[in-house]
Amino acid sequence: MSAEMAADDDAVRAGIARVEGYLLWQGEVERARAEAESFADELDWLTTAQREAVVDLFARRQLDLSRTAITRTAQRALQLRQEYQDRYDYLRRRGFAAAMALEAATVFVASLLLMR
């Protein structure tokens, strides 16, 4: 695969991720609004204007909580990804060193056997 094709694939993946994120967030907006409407339904003594204000405030607070949770989750995912990458790199280096040691030992033993 050429570098240009890889860049195109990356751009497509990034675009899909953006669309997916947008759609997921719109679902969250709808969920927050439904929760707010349900909450306001319990307050049957509110005027229409008060009810709209309560729904807007409740939905906004729900979305703030969601944004905070999503941000924390994303930050933790990035942190874990880095930790796993570091561990993988360490194990790979260690495995490479072990393979080189085994190769050297094999060459050494073979040379000893050939010297006999």
Side-chain angles (χ1 to χ4, degrees), residues 34-46 51 54-55:
E35 288 287 325
E37 294 282 347
S38 178
F39 177 76
D41 287 345
E42 300 292 320
L43 308 173
D44 57 357
W45 45 267
L46 292 174
R51 184 180 190 289
V54 166
V55 168

Side-chain angles (χ1 to χ4, degrees), residues 62-110:
Q62 286 290 306
L63 290 173
D64 288 345
L65 290 171
S66 294
R67 184 175 287 112
T68 299
I70 290 167
T71 300
R72 276 194 210 130
T73 301
Q75 288 171 343
R76 181 64 179 143
L78 290 173
Q79 183 182 34
L80 286 172
R81 180 179 183 186
Q82 186 60 54
E83 288 174 17
Y84 290 147
Q85 185 65 50
D86 292 347
R87 183 69 176 159
Y88 172 79
D89 291 344
Y90 168 76
L91 291 173
R92 204 165 127 214
R93 282 191 308 273
R94 192 170 122 192
F96 178 75
M100 289 296 103
L102 181 61
E103 178 82 21
T106 302
V107 169
F108 178 72
V109 169

